[in-house]
């Protein structure tokens, strides 16, 4: 079955530590996205990539970094500069056409501070 | 500025009741899409429907129906004869042609609890 796989499901970060969240898709989608979800809030866009080797900042990119070396992979690194990283992180992808296509989401990674 | 508002934070109903989830949006773009997603306790967002700005036809899919009214900038979602399995967080989202990024602007979500 095609889909998006996020790992790990739960992640704990120590102070001053960088952590990387994995996102892999086998849907052959060009575009991929990272969202952050805080309790009682909607999803906010962190980074997005419309093509391999290219990515753009979203609304809340500070303290995060990404790479897009392969079409199927879009890992997100939460750096020590992100002072409030506790949240639920969702990765998504969409087929060509972008803005008018529904995005497909992974199961999410819940990140907490130790 | 673009914005999506879901004024109902939480709704609780008893099984078999009908329930409507409200969504109001703001955009300067004349070409846009509206989406509804369901987020069950497992966490992933499940796509339910999309509607483009030029199609105001209401849509029905089983127990689900959607009412799109450009005059009031609303895209409301009704569940008829609700079931316990409908309990989830529901998000309304907007995507604008002008952004050309595929970026989705989400509302805050409405938590629906259906009690047996």
């Amino acid at each position: 079955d095609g889909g998006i796989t996020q790992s790990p499901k739960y992640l704990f970060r120590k102070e001053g530590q960088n952590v990387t969240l994995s996102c892999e898709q086998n849907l052959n989608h060009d575009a991929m996205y990272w969202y952050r979800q805080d309790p009682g809030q909607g999803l906010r866009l962190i980074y997005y990539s419309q093509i391999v080797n290219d990515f753009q900042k979203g609304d809340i990119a500070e303290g995060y970094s990404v790479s897009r070396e392969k079409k199927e992979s879009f890992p997100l690194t939460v750096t020590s500069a992100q002072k409030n990283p506790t949240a639920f992180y969702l990765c998504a992808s969409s087929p060509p056409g972008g803005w008018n296509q529904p995005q497909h989401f992974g199961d999410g990674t819940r990140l907490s501070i130790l | 500025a673009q914005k999506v508002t879901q004024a109902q934070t939480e709704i609780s109903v008893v099984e078999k009741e009908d329930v409507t989830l409200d969504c109001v949006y703001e955009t300067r773009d004349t070409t846009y899409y509206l989406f509804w997603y369901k987020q069950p306790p497992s966490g992933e967002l499940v796509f339910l429907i999309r509607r483009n700005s030029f199609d105001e036809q209401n849509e029905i899919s089983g127990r689900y129906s959607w009412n799109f009214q450009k005059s009031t900038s609303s895209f409301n979602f009704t569940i008829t004869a609700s079931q316990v399995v409908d309990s989830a967080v529901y998000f309304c989202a907007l995507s604008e042609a002008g952004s050309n990024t595929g970026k989705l602007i989400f509302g805050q979500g409405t938590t629906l609890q259906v009690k047996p």
Side-chain angles (χ1 to χ4, degrees), chain A residues 9 33 35 37 40-43 45 48 50 59 88 90 98-107, chain B residues 31-33 35 37 39 42-45 47 50 91 95-97 100-104 106-108:
Chain A
K9 198 168 180 67
Y33 309 83
Y35 292 92
Q37 183 179 11
Q41 296 190 34
L43 282 67
L45 183 65
Y48 64 96
Q50 293 180 297
D59 298 321
F88 188 54
L90 284 156
W99 71 276
N100 61 5
Q101 297 296 318
Q103 292 181 13
H104 299 250
F105 285 82
D107 289 349
Chain B
T31 305
Y32 52 89
Y33 267 84
F35 300 82
Y37 284 88
Q39 185 178 41
S42 52
E44 83 281 15
L45 267 71
F47 165 71
R50 67 173 174 172
F91 289 99
S95 176
E96 299 170 312
N100 201 31
T101 63
K103 170 184 171 180
L104 283 174
F106 284 87
Q108 303 91 317

Side-chain angles (χ1 to χ4, degrees), chain A residues 19-69:
Chain A
V19 292
T20 298
L21 284 60
S22 170
C23 177
E24 303 277 331
Q25 55 102 355
N26 60 4
L27 299 166
N28 200 32
H29 287 170
D30 288 313
M32 296 186 74
Y33 309 83
W34 273 106
Y35 292 92
R36 170 179 171 142
Q37 183 179 11
D38 293 283
Q41 296 190 34
L43 282 67
R44 292 181 291 168
L45 183 65
I46 305 172
Y47 268 97
Y48 64 96
S49 168
Q50 293 180 297
I51 197 167
V52 175
N53 292 323
D54 185 57
F55 49 83
Q56 307 295 330
K57 292 182 179 180
D59 298 321
I60 54 166
E62 187 174 347
Y64 300 97
S65 67
V66 294
S67 63
R68 186 83 188 277
E69 297 175 3

Side-chain angles (χ1 to χ4, degrees), chain B residues 12-53:
Chain B
S12 182
V13 299
V14 177
E15 209 170 17
K16 297 184 184 175
E17 283 185 28
D18 298 348
V19 57
T20 296
L21 284 63
D22 297 332
C23 172
V24 174
Y25 63 93
E26 295 175 32
T27 178
R28 293 193 187 125
D29 218 321
T30 56
T31 305
Y32 52 89
Y33 267 84
L34 294 162
F35 300 82
W36 274 95
Y37 284 88
K38 174 182 180 180
Q39 185 178 41
S42 52
E44 83 281 15
L45 267 71
V46 177
F47 165 71
L48 296 177
I49 192 173
R50 67 173 174 172
R51 173 66 74 226
N52 76 56
S53 52

Side-chain angles (χ1 to χ4, degrees), chain B residues 74-92:
Chain B
S74 65
F75 187 41
N76 297 337
F77 172 31
T78 297
I79 301 174
T80 303
S82 59
Q83 299 177 2
V84 172
V85 293
D86 295 326
S87 298
V89 183
Y90 291 86
F91 289 99
C92 180

